[in-house]
Amino acid sequence: MARRVVTLPGDGIGPEIMAPTLDVLGRLGDFEFEAHPFGGAAIDAHGTALTDETLAACRAADAVLLGAVGGPRWDTTDPAAPRPEQGLLGLRKGLGLFANLRPVRPLPALYDASPLRRERIEGTDLLVVRELTGGIYFGQRAREDGRAYDTCDYSVGEIERIARVGFRSARSRVTSVDKANVLETSRLWRETVGRVHGDEFPQVQLEHLLVDNAAMQLIAAPRHFDVILTENLFGDILSDEAAMLTGSIGLLPSASLGDEGTPGVFEPVHGSAPDIAGTGRANPLAMLLSAALMLRHGFGMQDEAAALESAVDRALESGLRTADLGGDATTEQAMRAVLEHL
Ligand code: IPM
Ligand code: MG
C-alpha cells in the first residue's frame, strides 16, 4: 500500500527543492503525495499560515515533508498580522512533535568549506536533540504599558520524554545543555535529566554544560560531542551554530517526532532563501537528506535512507558544489549528480 505523505512546499526556494525531491522518492518506494499551501503561501490564499484543513491532512498522513517558509513579503512586527512561522509552530504543537533531531556531520569532501580549520572539525559527528513544543516558544507572552514578557515554562513530564529521546539516540554520551546557574526551568531540567539517566540509562555517559560554555565548546572541540540534549530556544541557537561546522546550512536536515503513531515532520534546517528564490540555484541537498530521515524515522526504510544519504555524500565527493558551497552548480545539476550515484 502506498505511504501517504503530505507535502508542504511553503515559500521561496521551498517549492523548487521539494519538486525534484519527490521525483527521487518516487524511485525509492511507493508514495502518494498530497500538497497543501503552508506559511506565506497559505497566508496569501487563506489568511493564515496553517489552515485547519492542512493540519487535519497532516494528522491523517503517514508523514509530512516540509520545504521552508517565510519571506520579506510577510515580514511584519504587527502582532496582529499573520506570520509564516506561525505555521511551523502550529504544526509542531498541533501534532505534538516534541522531539527535534538535527544531525551534524561534516563530510570529509567539505572540510575545506567550513570556516573552521580541517583539524578542528575532522571526525565531528553529533546530533542536536532539541525539545520543540515547550519553553519560551509556547509560554505566556504579552505586551502591556510599554513592557513585554515571554515566559519559559517546563514540566517534569516534558523534560522526561525528551531526555529519553536523547539517551536512546546516544552512542556513548549525552551532553545536557542548560543555564542552571540562573534559570529555575534549567535547574528542573538538570535534575530531571539526571534522574532519567540514573533510573533508565546508567550505561550512557551524561555531562551537564551551561549554554554559554556549550556555544564555545561547539567551536573549540566539536568532536567531543555525541548527543546535545537541550530545551527549545537553546536548541534553536546551538543548531544553527553547529550547522556552520559543515560549511553550509544548506546541508542540514531535521526530523520532528512525537509519540509513537504520530506522523513526523521532516524539513531542512535552512530557511526559504528569498534572495535566490526563482534563480534555480538553491541547494537541494538538505531537502533530500530530510527525505532520507523520513524514510528512516517515518517508514523504517533503513536501506533506502542509507542509499540516498550515500548518494549525496558521493555527489559531493565527486565535486558537486552549489553556490552556498562556493560553486556554481544549479539545483538541477545537483539533482542529476545525486541521481547518478543513487
Ligand atoms: C527553526 C526555525 C524556527 C524556530 C523559526 C522559523 C520559528 O528557526 O526551525 O529552527 O525558531 O524554531
Ligand atoms: Mg532556527
Side-chain angles (χ1 to χ4, degrees), residues 249-305:
I249 201 169
L251 295 173
L252 286 206
S254 78
S256 302
L257 308 173
D259 285 321
E260 192 69 39
T262 306
V265 172
F266 303 88
E267 60 177 310
V269 170
H270 64 68
S272 60
D275 51 323
I276 59 161
T279 66
R281 310 226 147 245
N283 178 351
L285 299 183
M287 185 79 244
L288 280 174
L289 293 171
S290 301
L293 288 184
M294 177 181 83
L295 295 175
R296 177 174 299 118
H297 295 286
F299 299 131
M301 297 169 71
Q302 312 295 347
D303 294 347
E304 290 84 350

Side-chain angles (χ1 to χ4, degrees), residues 85 88 92 102 130 137 236:
E85 295 83 359
L88 280 180
R92 291 170 182 173
R102 298 183 167 183
R130 168 187 174 192
Y137 272 62
D236 177 48

